[in-house]
Amino acid sequence: MLRNYLKIAFRTLWKNRTHTLINIVGLSVAFGTCVLIFLTATFELSYDKFHTNSDRIFRLYFLSSNRDGSPDRSSSMPYPIAPALKAEFPEIEGATRWFNRTAGIRRNNQTYNKNVRVADADFLQLFTFPLRKGNPKTAMNSLSDIVISESMAKDIFGAQDPIGQSLQLRVDDNWQTFNVTAVASDVPKNSSLDFDALIRSENAGDYAENKGRWDHSNHDVYVKLKPGTDPQTLQRRSQALMNKYFATDIKQRQEQGFPKNEQGFQRSLMFQPLLNVHFDTETTHGLGISRTYVFTLLLVGLFVLAIACINFINLTIAQSLSRAREVGVRKSLGAQRAQLFGQIWGETLLLCFIAFIIGLGLAYSALPTFNRMFQSQLTITDFLQPTVLAVTSLGFLLITLIAGGYPSWYVTRFNAVEVLKGTLKLSRPGLLRNSLIITQFTIACLLIVCTVIVRQQITYLQQKPMGLDKEQVVSIPVGNELNGVEALRVLRNRLSNQPTIVAISGSGVNIGAGLDGTSNRMMYGFTYGKRDVTCDWLRIDTHYLKTMGIRLLQGRDFSSSFSTDSSTSILITQSMAKQLGEANPVGKFIKPDQKQFQIVGVVADFNLYSLHQEAKPITLQMQTNDPIRYILVRVSPQNLTGAMDIIKTAWKTVAPKQEFIGSFLDENTERWYKREQRLATIFSTAAGIAIVLSCMGLFAIALLTIQQRTKEIGVRKVLGASVVSIVGLLSKDFLKLVMAAIIIASPVAWYVMDKWLADFAYKIDIEWWVFAAAGSVSVAIALLTVSFQSVKAALMNPVKSLRSE
């Protein structure tokens, strides 16, 4: 019996091969797309879950309020807070500081640039980073201990046993010797914390100077609570610690009229669950990923799958008349309704299984392209995980039940007597079919509008004036094994006679996301008179304004002729002058960190960081104790490739053992918005798939509808109807559905995109023509799809359709 059912199923699928092909193509594309999207979303949602007791680990951040009442969050902590928490709160099992840093490593005259993170001795006991060699309880006991990863051990030591071996690290511009005490497994890809090596936090260059200061913050702090501890209760109790150690700051905020935060205090210490850190885009300086992005991925996958399922349901119901006689005969021969349901649903299962296998093949073949387009790191092993296989199997069964269940029930409810007498009357396409078609095109219109608006915003961000000239400027990361000031001096000498070089300077902060993958930021908050002042603190060198194309508005630029420029002189931006309340600030003094600085010039405002956040006032300074991390070279526009080659050659003489990873600033700034680029690619790809699948479904429905109205068309032609009137008659019903979809999609798209744009300090206005354009495209595509069959039917000889009458 089963073999007979399979044979009938294959015959039925082959008999209706056009519709079978449409269903298989639609479902296979949908299955393949959903598998890739589901794997990506699963990977993002799995971040940090591999840690044992991850639910008891928290990251600290400060919560206060800005003057307008909006929350101000910062995860940067002072040195004394970790030991104070351990001493004053017995509920805390362990605490560790965490510094995201890189360092130069040297062994046998060979240098390496690695992610050498700085942490406390508790780190390996708080987090689950298994050691291949060594003891996690003693691996970081000494200040000269270093824990390295497996990959780093292979890079530096090869097949040798690294335990007990020595390495030199460049710390605070000096080479220091460290002994390898442990080798850790490589950090999983889904970890918020990554490292090639770990050393003690006491090795940080400013530790000795600031270890007792509560007003100097520069690192994150993680704590692990004892079992049974309520984090909310501990969070409330920590307010006493805030009042004790931050009394001066709290008093100043009260005097300056700052509103209280959400907790009802001027400043609070908050406990953020470790599993939320990856999804924090505010306190991670944009390095996190929004949960909205992950859920958008899942939603897009469901949209594509829904369109494919709608096609299947509509086509199966539309074909029901052709199967009515078969159902009638089977019922008259004694077949039960449950048996008929099982047979017809079995055909659905077979078709879906074929589409699923093809979809998996498409997903596997598209994996490299998908990883490249969406900066993912998926592999086939990610799919072979038991949880993923179980969810995929359940999802497949659910889809076949939904897509095949209703059509099977619909067909099996036909009355056998009416079918065999030929008196069965099927109602005209009703609410269900129309609703499904509207849903399809609503999704397609929504994705089209989102694609256009996201791309508009990206273009706006890339083209908005930043207050500096980012074109024709090469940024060169100095690295950790070089002294930035010395490297800048040598490179200047090497390039001084090159006509293609316009200007050279240095900076502590890169503009955009460079190829070194690092970012840093220093900010100061202080009072000026009775004003609360916050600014970015930027280390630069002479000729910075010329190199970056920044306008000088008042006073003078830095010059090597003034000895004070490298110690106590500063430049400020317009917004900084406004924040100080000074119309002519040149000659005035500020005291941000127990040291007095004199303002010698005012420059135009410029954006130092991405346009996701509003630009902060900037103070530019040349203190020699702050490092130069990037060398900036402006080149003439005539021969950019030649100029880059000249810079590369000169850099080889400055750092012969270091790889050149210089890049143009305009490329760097584009990388700021790679997350938005990825979202735009997702929307545009999904919109393309949605439109194609919707049109395939509409084409099939139009074909079946016209076949059922063949005699009506013949009669109308005999009575004198023109081709245009027949095409209009057949197309208008479908176009009404598309117009309804546009009306539904437009307000939804506006709401979604308005919420998305709210995350940007600088954003576009949503224009009406975007919705009109998306609607016009949808109508045009639908009209072309339906018209192809409509024109064909209208041109048919009416004698053929009426001959049987």
Side-chain angles (χ1 to χ4, degrees):
M1 184 64 104
L2 180 61
R3 190 186 343 175
N4 188 44
Y5 278 166
L6 284 172
K7 191 182 295 184
I8 293 171
F10 277 115
R11 283 177 181 171
T12 304
L13 295 177
W14 179 252
K15 180 183 177 182
N16 303 292
R17 46 187 173 273
T18 301
H19 300 135
T20 299
L21 179 63
I22 289 173
N23 279 328
I24 287 178
V25 170
L27 286 172
S28 60
V29 170
F31 280 135
T33 303
C34 283
V35 165
L36 292 174
I37 287 177
F38 171 70
L39 287 177
T40 303
T42 302
F43 174 76
E44 296 293 347
L45 293 171
S46 70
Y47 258 74
D48 298 319
K49 289 184 178 178
F50 62 89
H51 293 292
T52 305
N53 302 318
S54 58
D55 59 322
R56 293 197 281 123
I57 303 174
F58 296 82
R59 188 182 67 147
L60 306 181
Y61 70 90
F62 291 127
L63 174 65
S64 55
S65 291
N66 296 308
R67 287 194 179 276
D68 61 359
S70 60
D72 182 18
R73 300 178 177 89
S74 172
S75 63
S76 188
M77 295 286 147
Y79 279 112
I81 199 167
L85 285 167
K86 289 174 66 176
E88 299 185 22
F89 296 94
E91 302 97 321
I92 294 178
E93 185 176 301
T96 181
R97 306 176 182 107
W98 174 259
F99 300 74
N100 258 327
R101 295 190 178 176
T102 60
I105 295 176
R106 185 170 66 185
R107 177 175 167 79
N108 297 333
N109 295 322
Q110 181 69 39
T111 59
Y112 308 86
N113 195 39
K114 297 291 183 180
N115 293 324
V116 180
R117 309 308 193 195
V118 183
D120 288 341
D122 282 351
F123 180 83
L124 292 173
Q125 297 176 64
L126 256 73
F127 298 100
T128 308
F129 293 111
L131 297 186
R132 294 293 186 183
K133 296 179 179 180
N135 186 339
K137 294 182 179 179
T138 60
M140 298 178 69
N141 276 357
S142 172
L143 297 186
S144 60
D145 290 343
I146 182 170
V147 177
I148 64 175
S149 66
E150 275 189 291
S151 297
M152 181 171 164
K154 290 177 182 177
D155 289 346
I156 298 178
F157 296 101
Q160 295 181 40
D161 184 0
I163 301 298
Q165 302 280 359
S166 62
L167 292 171
Q168 285 189 311
L169 267 67
R170 190 176 180 85
V171 179
D172 199 24
D173 286 337
N174 295 311
W175 289 102
Q176 297 182 24
T177 301
F178 289 81
N179 298 314
V180 179
T181 55
V183 177
S185 300
D186 287 338
V187 177
K189 295 181 293 183
N190 57 344
S191 174
S192 297
L193 307 175
D194 69 316
F195 61 87
D196 293 318
L198 295 169
I199 60 175
R200 286 276 294 270
S201 57
E202 291 85 348
N203 289 298
D206 62 345
Y207 178 79
E209 179 185 355
N210 298 306
K211 65 180 180 179
R213 290 182 58 182
W214 289 87
D215 60 345
H216 178 87
S217 302
N218 63 352
H219 62 277
D220 289 344
V221 170
Y222 290 85
V223 297
K224 186 175 183 179
L225 306 186
K226 290 181 179 179
T229 301
D230 179 20
Q232 296 298 323
T233 302
L234 181 61
Q235 186 173 282
R236 288 193 292 271
R237 289 185 57 220
S238 68
Q239 191 61 45
L241 179 140
M242 295 296 295
N243 295 337
K244 177 180 178 181
Y245 294 108
F246 296 91
T248 302
D249 179 63
I250 291 172
K251 183 180 178 182
Q252 288 178 350
R253 291 179 60 84
Q254 289 173 337
E255 290 173 351
Q256 293 165 18
F258 276 88
K260 293 181 179 179
N261 61 25
E262 300 164 358
Q263 305 295 315
F265 302 99
Q266 281 293 336
R267 203 172 182 191
S268 300
L269 184 65
M270 309 299 289
F271 288 66
Q272 181 183 45
L274 175 64
L275 299 184
N276 292 346
V277 172
H278 178 62
F279 304 104
D280 185 347
T281 58
E282 183 177 356
T283 63
T284 57
H285 307 297
L287 298 178
I289 183 171
S290 172
R291 270 199 174 90
T292 304
Y293 169 77
V294 179
F295 294 134
T296 299
L297 268 180
L298 290 172
L299 196 61
V300 167
L302 289 175
F303 280 166
V304 173
L305 192 59
I307 289 174
C309 290
I310 287 170
N311 280 349
F312 185 88
I313 293 170
N314 274 340
L315 285 177
T316 305
I317 293 175
Q319 289 177 278
S320 59
L321 184 61
S322 63
R323 302 206 66 173
R325 190 167 284 110
E326 175 195 343
V327 171
V329 171
R330 287 182 178 278
K331 280 190 172 184
S332 66
L333 294 175
Q336 298 297 315
R337 187 171 178 180
Q339 291 176 304
L340 292 171
F341 179 89
Q343 179 202 338
I344 297 172
W345 183 72
E347 293 174 8
T348 299
L349 186 64
L350 176 63
L351 188 145
C352 287
F353 181 74
I354 294 171
F356 183 65
I357 297 301
I358 296 173
L360 290 180
L362 290 173
Y364 179 74
S365 60
L367 197 58
T369 305
F370 182 87
N371 283 336
R372 186 173 60 254
M373 287 176 64
F374 301 115
Q375 289 85 48
S376 298
Q377 303 176 34
L378 300 180
T379 61
I380 191 64
T381 54
D382 293 321
F383 179 74
L384 299 177
Q385 299 296 322
T387 306
V388 175
L389 290 174
V391 172
T392 304
S393 300
L394 288 173
F396 170 74
L397 291 174
L398 182 63
I399 289 163
T400 55
L401 187 61
I402 293 172
Y406 177 77
S408 300
W409 171 82
Y410 181 80
V411 173
T412 56
R413 71 188 179 95
F414 291 155
N415 185 289
V417 176
E418 291 181 354
V419 170
L420 296 177
K421 282 185 175 182
T423 59
L424 177 67
K425 292 185 179 180
L426 295 175
S427 59
R428 295 197 57 159
L431 181 62
L432 177 65
R433 193 204 73 173
N434 291 347
S435 299
L436 293 176
I437 292 175
I438 289 173
T439 302
Q440 280 185 312
F441 276 91
T442 298
I443 292 170
C445 291
L446 180 66
L447 292 172
I448 291 172
V449 171
C450 291
T451 299
V452 173
I453 292 176
V454 170
R455 293 204 175 278
Q456 279 185 315
Q457 176 66 9
I458 293 171
T459 303
Y460 171 77
L461 293 175
Q462 292 173 339
Q463 296 180 354
K464 185 182 184 301
M466 294 177 60
L468 51 81
D469 185 3
K470 62 187 178 183
E471 306 295 330
Q472 295 102 43
V473 179
V474 179
S475 170
I476 309 167
V478 173
N480 296 294
E481 61 269 21
L482 296 177
N483 180 295
V485 175
E486 181 63 18
L488 175 59
R489 184 189 66 79
V490 175
L491 190 64
R492 270 185 175 142
N493 292 335
R494 295 283 190 276
L495 298 175
S496 59
N497 296 322
Q498 294 293 336
T500 55
I501 305 301
V502 177
I504 304 175
S505 187
S507 174
V509 175
N510 201 3
I511 302 291
L515 297 179
D516 58 334
T518 62
S519 63
N520 53 80
R521 187 173 195 172
M522 178 177 281
M523 299 184 69
Y524 273 119
F526 59 96
T527 55
Y528 180 79
K530 292 186 177 181
R531 291 175 175 266
D532 185 63
V533 177
T534 303
C535 67
D536 278 302
W537 193 256
L538 177 63
R539 166 70 158 106
I540 65 169
D541 203 80
T542 53
H543 308 302
Y544 183 81
L545 301 187
K546 180 181 179 182
T547 304
M548 301 304 297
I550 299 170
R551 291 184 300 120
L552 179 67
L553 303 178
Q554 296 180 32
R556 64 173 179 84
D557 192 1
F558 286 139
S559 170
S560 54
S561 304
F562 295 88
S563 59
T564 55
D565 282 1
S566 60
S567 57
T568 58
S569 298
I570 57 172
L571 300 174
I572 63 172
T573 57
Q574 275 179 296
S575 55
M576 179 66 175
K578 184 178 180 181
Q579 193 174 199
L580 295 174
E582 298 285 356
N584 185 14
V586 175
K588 299 293 192 298
F589 292 87
I590 64 172
K591 196 174 183 180
D593 188 32
Q594 314 302 320
K595 183 178 178 180
Q596 189 165 267
F597 295 89
Q598 185 177 29
I599 301 169
V600 297
V602 180
V603 302
D605 284 330
F606 63 95
N607 286 90
L608 192 58
Y609 298 97
S610 81
L611 302 183
H612 286 92
Q613 300 174 347
E614 192 170 352
K616 295 282 187 183
I618 303 171
T619 298
L620 301 86
Q621 49 85 20
M622 284 181 43
Q623 290 186 93
T624 53
N625 59 330
D626 287 342
I628 291 290
R629 295 188 174 92
Y630 298 91
I631 296 175
L632 306 168
V633 183
R634 174 167 291 281
V635 299
S636 58
Q638 284 74 25
N639 185 8
L640 296 179
T641 305
M644 180 65 90
D645 291 337
I646 291 171
I647 295 170
K648 283 182 182 179
T649 303
W651 184 252
K652 283 296 180 186
T653 65
V654 177
K657 296 181 181 179
Q658 184 175 310
E659 180 187 4
F660 179 83
I661 50 174
S663 56
F664 284 100
L665 288 191
D666 55 346
E667 298 171 351
N668 290 357
T669 55
E670 286 183 10
R671 281 189 284 270
W672 263 338
Y673 311 111
K674 63 182 180 180
R675 191 168 61 215
E676 286 70 33
Q677 291 279 14
R678 198 183 339 175
L679 190 63
T681 305
I682 290 170
F683 278 136
S684 56
T685 305
I689 293 173
I691 284 290
V692 171
L693 294 183
S694 298
C695 289
M696 287 172 63
L698 192 62
F699 175 84
I701 292 294
L703 178 62
L704 284 169
T705 302
I706 290 169
Q707 286 175 352
Q708 293 169 4
R709 300 179 68 178
T710 301
K711 288 185 174 60
E712 177 193 340
I713 294 169
V715 171
R716 288 181 181 276
K717 288 200 71 175
V718 169
L719 294 176
S722 65
V723 173
V724 174
S725 64
I726 292 175
V727 171
L729 175 70
L730 295 174
S731 302
K732 69 177 183 180
D733 290 337
F734 294 108
L735 293 181
K736 286 178 182 177
L737 300 179
V738 175
M739 291 300 296
I742 295 168
I743 293 171
I744 295 171
S746 295
V748 175
W750 181 88
Y751 177 80
V752 171
M753 286 292 96
D754 185 62
K755 289 292 183 184
W756 179 72
L757 288 171
D759 289 337
F760 295 88
Y762 306 93
K763 57 192 175 185
I764 61 168
D765 293 323
I766 300 177
E767 303 286 350
W768 65 268
W769 62 263
V770 174
F771 303 98
S776 300
V777 169
S778 301
V779 169
I781 292 173
L783 186 60
L784 286 173
T785 303
V786 175
S787 296
F788 178 79
Q789 287 298 329
S790 301
V791 172
K792 187 177 177 181
L795 293 174
M796 188 184 297
N797 190 340
V799 174
K800 290 183 179 180
S801 59
L802 298 175
R803 187 166 46 196
S804 60
E805 298 295 326

